[in-house]
Amino acid sequence: MSLPPGFLDELRDRLTLSAVVGRKVVWDRRKTNAAKGDFWAPCPFHHEKTPSFHVDDRKGFYYCFGCHAKGDAITFVKDTENVPFIEAVEMLAREAGMAMPEQRHDPAAAERQDRLARLADVMEEAVQLFGLGFRSAAGQPARDYAAGRGMTAETLKRFEIGYAPDSRSHLTGAFRQKGMLDEAVDAGLLIRPEDGGAPYDRFRGRLMFPIRDARGRCVAFGGRALAPNAQAKYLNSPETALFHKGRILYNIGPAREAAGRGAALVVAEGYMDVIALAAAGFEAAVAPLGTAITEEQLQLLWKLAAEPVIALDGDQAGIRAAERLIDLALPQVAPGRSLRFCVLPEGRDPDELIRAEGPSAMRRAIEASRPLVDMLWQREASAGPLDTPEHWAGLDQRLKAALARIGDVSVRNHYDAALRARRNELLRARGPAGAFSRGPERDRFAVKGGRGRIKPARPMAATKQSDLARTGVRGAVAEARIREAGILLIACHNLGALGPVEHALEEMTVRTAEFVPLREAVLAAMAGDTDLAAAARSRGAADPFDLLTRVPQARAHPLARPGQPASRVAEVLAEAIALHQAALAHEVEITEARRDLDAAEGEDWTWRVRQAGHQLQEAARLATAAAPSEQEETVSEIQRMLDNPAYKAKKR
């Protein structure tokens, strides 16, 4: 719906933001000054204990100095109630006593709306008729089945469970009397033969599950056959003007409300799984409608929760469904948007697990759910054997292809690091000598001198940990401190120029503990609600300029003073932050290489030194942010390893 100009402005003017927010928070009396329209409370978005959530009634905006949530009354209702924008507007309009604007008159659009309303009425009538069928004498098989599946009277009422008697005219007769046969056919409840014969019931002899959309309208039905020899165990409504099965989820409305209250969003495979989960206390449970999750359903899930839990059966079909979903999700993952996978034990589904072991077993399974990156690694690493160099190269190729599908650069880089770590760990576990061996005897011998003389390999004395792992740690920490101090000092002097780099500054890794509150103070001062010194004091930090200028290299930077050109400040900071992040990534590479060396024994030692050298060279090539001192230190470390007497003895 398009809104006329000025409608939202009038809506905001009629409402007091503190009154809207006050329904969800408790104001802090010490910091709040209601007379000035200045309100403080613990943030409702990240459940903190300290009052860092600020509402400014004069400006009509809120801002959290902890999680950086910000917006106006509409944004607040949309996020806290977990509803779309237009629904948030409707809720606030009712509160403000404003009528939602009428859409411009369009005869065709009006006819479509009227037709949809008639179809919705027919569907609600069907809910009632199926309910009567369930309670009738003919519904005894359905009641017996429901009781056998553990459905209580409360559950039956909550999910409006019904029964379609094994008759071709249960609904047909009722809708013929009401003069609604055409609408019932259009709604998918009746089937009209192609030869023009009389319509008849689509659902017969089935337990019926009404499917409601997010607005609460019944748009379709799912039917579970009670006869053991039925051709189809489950039958869903066909696509209609009301119903598009790839764009809706079973139990979407109640699940949206529960997810908005913080409940974990659990995605199961079927109706009975959702009903069992909800009855066991997992209120935010949904299911696709008899098909694999579609792209539209995935987007809908992410509107409800940042990281839905996919609860799949623990059989091969469940695993294949998870693998298909991985490919669907990878191009769309982003910060705050991913998936977790709960693969249930022994091939059970959620309904079976809850009935056999109770809700606590399901809760443990959900808590043990695995992130998307784990499932991706498992799929690619188990796709074939890893007993030859060619097979390992094939794994590398598969991982590279998977990474290429990730659109968000930051997420792709983190996936790259995580997958590389898993690959290296698996390679270390197998060992370089045994990974491609022909048999167990290969590991007991080493070829010496390249002349084919085979003798038992003797372990060599390992290089001391202090010689390897601790090398360069102090230098790396000092370099990071200098970089961070320079970035923050420039930012402190030029708050007005930070708009283009605000997000980068928020995402920047700050390793120096005493600088963390300073970064938060800078972001708070950017919002304009307080000055830098006050923001720093409220976070228990020292005076920013006093602390940062203690780092000589930081205060020597030409932009580390007030009044600098805004465009130049933004350009320099963007580059400096990017280089800082790259330097930290370089250190990760070095740590990986050192760990390789520390784990080496016997004949592995030479191979480990060579591989570590390759890794360090690659890290140095990629991490252009690494300071020269770090690069030189890395080279020196490799040289010390090569000069180690144990290594020289082995070489001889």
Side-chain angles (χ1 to χ4, degrees), residues 73-126:
I74 299 172
T75 308
F76 186 84
V77 171
K78 181 170 70 73
D79 292 343
T80 56
E81 299 294 338
N82 210 24
V83 297
F85 174 83
I86 198 65
E87 290 190 34
V89 173
E90 290 173 353
M91 293 168 68
L92 290 172
R94 286 194 297 269
E95 182 178 342
M98 294 176 62
M100 289 294 290
E102 297 264 343
Q103 297 190 57
R104 285 183 292 181
H105 181 64
D106 181 345
E111 173 58 29
R112 286 193 298 270
Q113 289 299 114
D114 183 60
R115 178 169 177 261
L116 291 176
R118 293 197 304 271
L119 295 183
D121 290 341
V122 167
M123 297 301 289
E124 292 299 336
E125 185 72 22

Side-chain angles (χ1 to χ4, degrees), residues 64-368:
C64 176
F65 293 94
C67 69
H68 312 301
K70 54 188 174 182
D72 60 5
I74 299 172
T75 308
F76 186 84
V77 171
K78 181 170 70 73
D79 292 343
T80 56
E81 299 294 338
N82 210 24
V83 297
F85 174 83
I86 198 65
E87 290 190 34
V89 173
E90 290 173 353
M91 293 168 68
L92 290 172
R94 286 194 297 269
E95 182 178 342
M98 294 176 62
M100 289 294 290
E102 297 264 343
Q103 297 190 57
R104 285 183 292 181
H105 181 64
D106 181 345
E111 173 58 29
R112 286 193 298 270
Q113 289 299 114
D114 183 60
R115 178 169 177 261
L116 291 176
R118 293 197 304 271
L119 295 183
D121 290 341
V122 167
M123 297 301 289
E124 292 299 336
E125 185 72 22
V127 172
Q128 300 303 317
L129 291 170
F130 287 138
L132 290 173
F134 184 85
R135 295 186 291 274
S136 69
Q140 188 61 50
R143 294 194 296 273
D144 292 341
Y145 177 83
R149 297 297 297 264
M151 286 192 275
T152 65
E154 179 184 355
T155 298
L156 293 171
K157 180 180 179 180
R158 175 179 177 180
F159 286 93
E160 303 174 286
I161 304 301
Y163 175 63
D166 194 6
S167 166
R168 293 169 63 92
S169 59
H170 177 65
L171 293 186
T172 304
F175 286 125
R176 179 177 287 113
Q177 289 182 357
K178 295 177 180 293
M180 304 171 72
L181 276 180
D182 290 342
E183 288 83 354
V185 171
D186 291 344
L189 296 169
L190 308 181
I191 297 175
R192 191 189 302 276
E194 294 182 1
D195 61 6
Y200 59 89
D201 288 17
R202 179 181 298 275
F203 299 99
R204 304 182 298 279
R206 292 178 180 270
L207 192 73
M208 300 301 294
F209 304 89
I211 300 168
R212 295 188 177 274
D213 64 11
R215 296 166 57 184
R217 301 179 305 171
C218 180
V219 296
F221 286 92
R224 204 277 187 198
L226 298 182
N229 58 348
Q231 290 185 351
K233 183 177 178 180
Y234 280 96
L235 178 66
N236 289 332
S237 291
E239 298 268 327
T240 69
L242 278 178
F243 176 54
H244 305 279
K245 65 181 180 181
R247 303 177 191 172
I248 193 171
L249 297 162
Y250 182 59
N251 197 44
I252 178 64
R256 182 179 69 178
E257 295 178 8
R261 296 193 299 268
L265 180 64
V266 182
V267 185
E269 290 192 32
Y271 304 109
M272 290 304 304
D273 293 327
V274 170
I275 292 171
L277 285 164
F282 304 96
E283 302 282 343
V286 296
L289 303 175
T291 61
I293 295 175
T294 66
E295 183 173 349
E296 292 89 347
Q297 288 170 332
L298 186 58
Q299 293 294 336
L300 183 56
L301 289 171
W302 277 326
K303 289 180 181 178
L304 304 186
E307 203 170 35
V309 178
I310 312 298
L312 300 171
D313 297 358
D315 55 14
Q316 286 302 313
I319 298 299
R320 287 194 296 271
E323 292 177 348
R324 289 193 298 269
L325 185 54
I326 289 170
D327 290 328
L328 182 66
L330 280 179
Q332 305 175 67
V333 293
R337 192 170 66 186
S338 188
L339 298 173
R340 297 188 72 86
F341 291 84
C342 171
V343 180
L344 301 178
E346 302 174 9
R348 288 176 168 171
D349 59 31
D351 178 38
E352 293 168 337
L353 181 62
I354 291 170
R355 283 192 286 136
E357 302 182 32
S360 60
M362 189 68 216
R363 184 170 292 105
R364 289 193 297 271
I366 291 174
E367 291 172 351

